[in-house]
Amino acid sequence: MKTLLSTLFLVISMISTCQASEKAVNEVLDSVHHSAAKANAEHYFSLFSADAVFIGTDASEVWTVSEFKDYAMPHFNKGTGWTYHPYNRHVYFSDDGDVAWFDELLRNDKLGITRGTGVLEKKEGNWKVMQYHLAIPVPNAIAGDVADQIKAIEKGGH
């Protein structure tokens, strides 16, 4: 009986820890989107690790956080950012609970439905974004046409 109670307590404790971690990761990701929408550069970049990578929708957009900051600051300095509304997010954790990865669907006025994926790491008790990848999911029904347009651009066509 004592072993059963100890096991039950351990399972409940693990579930509680996992729920707290998921809540903390969700808060960081929500803060990323909120601070970008408010053009709050200081808070936005504080959520990223110093060695983070941001991958944008264009194949050429693979930036260190420093390079991404160079891109973003002119927009933030004008008081404009970008607004993405997350509406479907899944968060997963490593066995030790110090790494989380996620996928989320987002709505954006200009691009419509987009997808964010990425990795966060718990550093000194705080979750930091290590990688964020923004993509435009292409419906399979038009994927061939989109691929042809990309190939045309790569060949120098319009």
Side-chain angles (χ1 to χ4, degrees):
M1 183 67 162
K2 193 174 188 181
T3 303
L4 179 61
L5 288 175
S6 294
T7 303
L8 183 60
F9 178 75
L10 180 62
V11 169
I12 291 170
S13 176
M14 288 172 58
I15 290 170
S16 177
T17 300
C18 185
Q19 288 172 338
S21 292
E22 186 169 352
K23 182 177 185 238
V25 165
N26 280 318
E27 287 173 356
V28 169
L29 293 171
D30 289 344
S31 289
V32 164
H33 297 304
H34 181 76
S35 11
K38 297 295 182 188
N40 184 341
E42 184 177 340
H43 185 63
Y44 181 80
F45 287 106
S46 76
L47 300 167
F48 288 80
S49 171
D51 55 349
V53 174
F54 187 94
I55 304 169
T57 57
D58 190 281
S60 68
E61 297 173 339
V62 179
W63 294 312
T64 65
V65 74
S66 176
E67 292 167 334
F68 186 55
K69 193 173 190 177
D70 290 342
Y71 164 80
M73 287 309 294
H75 300 285
F76 286 169
N77 287 338
K78 288 187 283 187
T80 59
W82 42 88
T83 302
Y84 290 85
H85 301 283
Y87 67 93
N88 186 0
R89 181 182 294 150
H90 305 99
V91 179
Y92 313 90
F93 293 92
S94 62
D95 288 341
D96 68 4
D98 288 338
V99 176
W101 56 98
F102 68 93
D103 62 90
E104 60 185 359
L105 292 176
L106 309 127
R107 293 191 196 284
N108 173 271
D109 288 344
K110 179 180 174 186
L111 299 176
I113 295 173
T114 59
R115 174 177 287 131
T117 62
V119 178
L120 292 87
E121 184 176 20
K122 198 173 198 180
K123 294 184 172 197
E124 299 176 6
N126 296 309
W127 288 100
K128 295 289 185 176
V129 176
M130 299 296 297
Q131 181 187 80
Y132 193 95
H133 182 187
L134 181 65
I136 302 170
V138 178
N140 289 333
I142 63 169
D145 293 336
V146 172
D148 289 343
Q149 291 178 41
I150 293 169
K151 290 174 193 173
I153 289 171
E154 290 171 344
K155 289 180 181 176
H158 301 294

